[in-house]
Amino acid sequence: MMVQWLKITCRQAQVLLSQRQDRSLGPLDVLRLRLHLVACDWCSRVARQFRFLSEAVRRIGT
Amino acid sequence: MDAASLNQAIAELRPTLLRIARLQLRNDAWAEDAVSETLISALEGAGRFSGQSQLKTWVVGILKHKIIDQFRRGGREVSIEAATEAAQVETFDELYAPDGHRVDPPLDWGDPEASYSRVQFFEILQACVEELPAALARVFMMREWLELDTAQICKEIGISATNCFVMLHRARIRLRECLEHRWFADESAS
């Protein structure tokens, strides 16, 4: 059983997925996100897609 | 490459540079200025072009510096627009149920990196960035294309770090949706 304060929603997870590309998350947020991603295939897809988006934009003009 | 053909090759990059500068600056006059300055610098410095990198990569590198200079000159206007945009509340209720879970699954994009070899992919990506509100597009492109960190972005355009994170998140959500609808949904259908 997961402790309640470690549980986050997809909405919250996707905020953290964006922020981790811009700053280091605190240890608690890292843990929350990791636990969410293990259980949620949809957010795992979004995680990969956000990374892809950064890489794709970097290639504009190359 | 002799000097004359190098100069011509630089001049021919103008339309490409202008599109990128517009995408980033979202102001046609500023984009024209940044590109003109880039071309002048490139032509003046053409003797130093070693040919080790591609000409386009070298000139785009100059453009990045000119765009940052242009942001500094446009400072006040840019920061007012950013502050206005940051004050908008965007909840993406169409994406999430009241309990915070996604309503529809995001599509599986398969092997998205395969799109790098498709010219049309970059057309759609740029069109998606063009559809973002100007202030969101600027912050997003500063982060992902100019590769500035958020502290530098905050300093350049005078917004708080929190607003910066919020705007970057909104830009990414919108771009993800746009690419999914306009590129990856068609890809998986074809």
Side-chain angles (χ1 to χ4, degrees):
Chain A
M1 191 186 72
M2 202 193 289
V3 186
Q4 277 306 313
W5 49 266
L6 283 176
K7 260 187 124 167
I8 54 173
T9 64
C10 296
R11 185 195 286 269
Q12 292 164 323
Q14 287 172 30
V15 169
L16 293 178
L17 285 176
S18 173
Q19 287 196 8
R20 78 171 178 183
Q21 299 196 200
D22 307 316
R23 69 177 179 98
S24 328
L25 300 178
L28 200 54
D29 280 340
V30 170
L31 185 59
R32 285 178 175 133
L33 188 56
R34 194 169 295 168
L35 288 170
H36 185 91
L37 291 179
V38 166
C40 181
D41 291 343
W42 291 4
C43 287
S44 301
R45 274 185 194 169
V46 172
R48 186 161 178 235
Q49 291 164 356
F50 277 179
R51 288 214 167 101
F52 165 77
L53 183 61
S54 296
E55 179 57 33
V57 170
R58 255 152 236 200
R59 287 172 184 250
I60 291 176
T62 60
Chain B
M1 209 186 283
D2 63 48
S5 49
L6 185 61
N7 286 353
Q8 193 187 342
I10 290 171
E12 281 170 1
L13 288 172
R14 193 170 188 282
T16 310
L17 299 176
L18 201 52
R19 178 146 193 219
I20 296 174
R22 283 199 180 117
L23 198 63
Q24 167 71 76
L25 289 163
R26 298 294 290 257
N27 175 308
D28 286 352
W30 294 353
E32 292 276 354
D33 286 352
V35 169
S36 298
E37 287 178 15
T38 301
L39 293 174
I40 291 166
S41 287
L43 291 169
E44 283 173 356
R48 290 194 304 278
F49 175 65
S50 60
Q52 285 184 340
S53 59
Q54 275 199 323
L55 181 68
K56 190 176 164 191
T57 308
W58 179 68
V59 178
V60 167
I62 299 173
L63 178 65
K64 288 187 176 184
H65 289 103
K66 301 298 179 190
I67 284 174
I68 294 173
D69 290 346
Q70 187 57 58
F71 270 126
R72 289 186 183 145
R73 286 196 292 266
R76 197 176 146 70
E77 197 176 328
V78 170
S79 55
I80 291 169
E81 282 185 33
T84 310
E85 180 63 38
Q88 306 282 323
V89 177
E90 197 168 13
T91 54
F92 295 108
D93 285 336
E94 71 282 14
L95 297 181
Y96 304 105
D99 68 0
H101 285 275
R102 273 193 77 102
V103 178
D104 294 315
L107 278 185
D108 181 354
W109 290 3
D111 174 23
E113 287 79 10
S115 300
Y116 292 153
S117 59
R118 308 273 302 275
V119 177
Q120 303 100 301
F121 169 74
F122 287 98
E123 285 296 316
I124 299 226
L125 176 60
Q126 294 190 49
C128 287
V129 175
E130 281 160 7
E131 283 172 19
L132 290 176
L136 285 192
R138 284 177 187 145
V139 170
F140 177 77
M141 290 292 283
M142 276 183 166
R143 177 76 193 99
E144 304 284 29
W145 189 74
L146 290 173
E147 299 183 56
L148 301 179
D149 61 37
T150 49
Q152 288 172 292
I153 298 171
C154 294
K155 188 166 155 255
E156 292 297 340
I157 60 178
I159 55 172
S160 68
T162 306
N163 280 346
C164 198
F165 294 134
V166 167
M167 288 167 81
L168 287 167
H169 174 242
R170 275 159 47 185
R172 289 190 181 105
I173 294 263
R174 285 184 181 222
L175 289 172
R176 203 209 69 79
E177 294 294 312
C178 183
L179 279 184
E180 181 152 303
H181 290 139
R182 295 183 50 183
W183 181 257
F184 290 105
D186 288 350
E187 283 276 288
S188 58
S190 62

